[in-house]
Amino acid sequence: MTTLKNPRMRRGLGLLAGTAALALALVGCSGGDDAEPVPERDLGTPVAGEIEEGALAGASLTFAGSGGVFQDGQTEALWDPFAEASGAAFTQDAFDAGKLKAMVDAGNVSWDIVNTTQFDTARGCGTLYEEYDYDQIDTSKIPEGTITDKCMVPQILYGLVVVYNTDAFGDDPPTSAADFFDTEKYPGKRTVSQSTYVDPQTVEFALTAQGKDVAELSVDDIEGAFDMYRGLGDDVIGWTTGAQAQQQLEAGEAVMGLVWSGRGYGAAAAGAPVAPMWDEWMIMVDSNGIPKGVKDKQAAFAAVNYSLGAEQQAKMTELTSYGGVNVDAEPEMDELLTEWMTTEHLDTGISPNVDFWVENYDALAAAWAGWATGS
């Protein structure tokens, strides 16, 4: 297995009809009962970013991530240094939610750590994902409130952010979610996700524009959010991948976009006249998840603990443009990256209502399917 070079893609919570069955066929049905027992080790008190030299010699771990520059940066900043320090062999693969389920169902899990979202680990905690033993993880430097279920350790902080064209609106930029939907004051095309990935923050953004508090949502609110986007009529265009969203902004196809912060930064770094709106942006957190039935849980915990070090997180941010999860991390950032870094603007971000979306996922998925298919 090697690191894939595909553009960053989202995972989990997608419309996965058929993929689980296909993945099951690829995984096979053999169990892991013949595997050698994992040795017990004394790794001592965990300190984020540290592992005793050679402590995991002979162990093998695989990380399944999102691909592209993001996974390449994680590999260089987190996993390769961990392998060198611990002595563990460490390989890379591409995450697929259907394949994960097939692995778990078959009792033949070959991934040890996966890059997924806080919604995925919350929905699959105990069934698809192992609960963490937080005695084996140093969580003292993790931003408050970012551990949202027992099967996750945060991996990055990023956001769903309004990105606007500064040539069009530089003198009077949008400053609220409501402005995104005001095509009289801010005329022009808007690009919004219509990917197969079910994104609760897209719904929460529209409801914020209505003046609703995302901490007090009801199922009836969901369709109302999509009606907001449909109400944009011909002024709304869809993106199905982050790369497409970035291209639409770079090409000027849209004067505003509701996009992942890293994609907005990518457009700006490529020279597009775009800027982020930090009022009422939606906070997003990715999880490090441990698949249910992982063969060497202790080694997986140790790798995650190592990845949380300030030095590791700083380097990861420098390589990927995504915000780290160690409050002591001090990445070297130029003026442009600083402008786009979510961790510099947490005071104006809106945290998602994770519990609501886990409880009402089916209603969300059904409404999203209608939106994504244009019905």
Side-chain angles (χ1 to χ4, degrees), residues 48-50 78 304-314 326 329:
E50 297 184 9
L78 312 178
V304 170
N305 182 68
Y306 182 88
S307 76
L308 297 173
E311 180 180 346
Q312 291 86 339
Q313 289 291 307
N326 185 312

Side-chain angles (χ1 to χ4, degrees), residues 119-318:
F119 303 105
D120 290 344
T121 48
R123 290 183 63 231
C125 191
T127 54
L128 287 178
Y129 298 99
E130 297 279 357
E131 290 191 8
Y132 271 91
D133 176 359
Y134 292 109
D135 289 338
Q136 298 187 46
I137 308 289
D138 178 5
T139 60
S140 62
K141 301 299 181 180
I142 292 175
E144 184 178 354
T146 56
I147 295 179
T148 50
D149 69 80
K150 295 179 180 179
C151 292
M152 73 92 77
V153 165
Q155 182 180 105
I156 56 169
L157 279 166
Y158 61 116
L160 192 67
V161 179
V162 169
V163 178
Y164 63 91
N165 188 299
T166 54
D167 288 345
F169 307 125
D171 295 333
D172 183 21
T175 58
S176 70
D179 285 346
F180 185 82
F181 295 93
D182 189 343
T183 54
E184 291 189 6
K185 186 176 181 181
Y186 298 99
K189 302 286 187 184
R190 278 87 161 127
T191 184
V192 179
S193 174
Q194 288 188 315
S195 73
T196 56
Y197 175 74
V198 181
D199 186 353
Q201 283 93 338
T202 299
V203 175
E204 291 184 336
F205 178 78
L207 297 176
T208 298
Q210 296 176 350
K212 293 186 179 296
D213 183 347
V214 301
E216 299 178 359
L217 299 179
S218 72
V219 174
D220 292 338
D221 290 329
I222 298 174
E223 278 295 344
F226 290 110
D227 287 343
M228 291 279 287
Y229 294 111
R230 294 187 181 99
L232 290 170
D234 293 338
D235 284 328
V236 68
I237 57 177
W239 56 264
T240 57
T241 67
Q244 184 184 20
Q246 180 175 328
Q247 177 56 36
Q248 290 169 337
L249 292 168
E250 290 182 19
E253 296 176 35
V255 296
M256 282 196 211
L258 187 62
V259 305
W260 298 322
S261 52
R263 288 302 183 179
Y265 168 76
V274 296
M277 184 191 86
W278 289 116
D279 305 275
E280 299 183 328
W281 67 281
M282 317 309 289
I283 295 173
M284 307 181 98
V285 178
D286 271 6
S287 295
N288 276 312
I290 309 296
K292 186 72 175 178
V294 67
K295 295 179 177 60
D296 193 343
K297 191 160 39 175
Q298 185 188 32
F301 288 161
V304 170
N305 182 68
Y306 182 88
S307 76
L308 297 173
E311 180 180 346
Q312 291 86 339
Q313 289 291 307
K315 187 171 184 179
M316 188 272 296
T317 294
E318 293 166 2

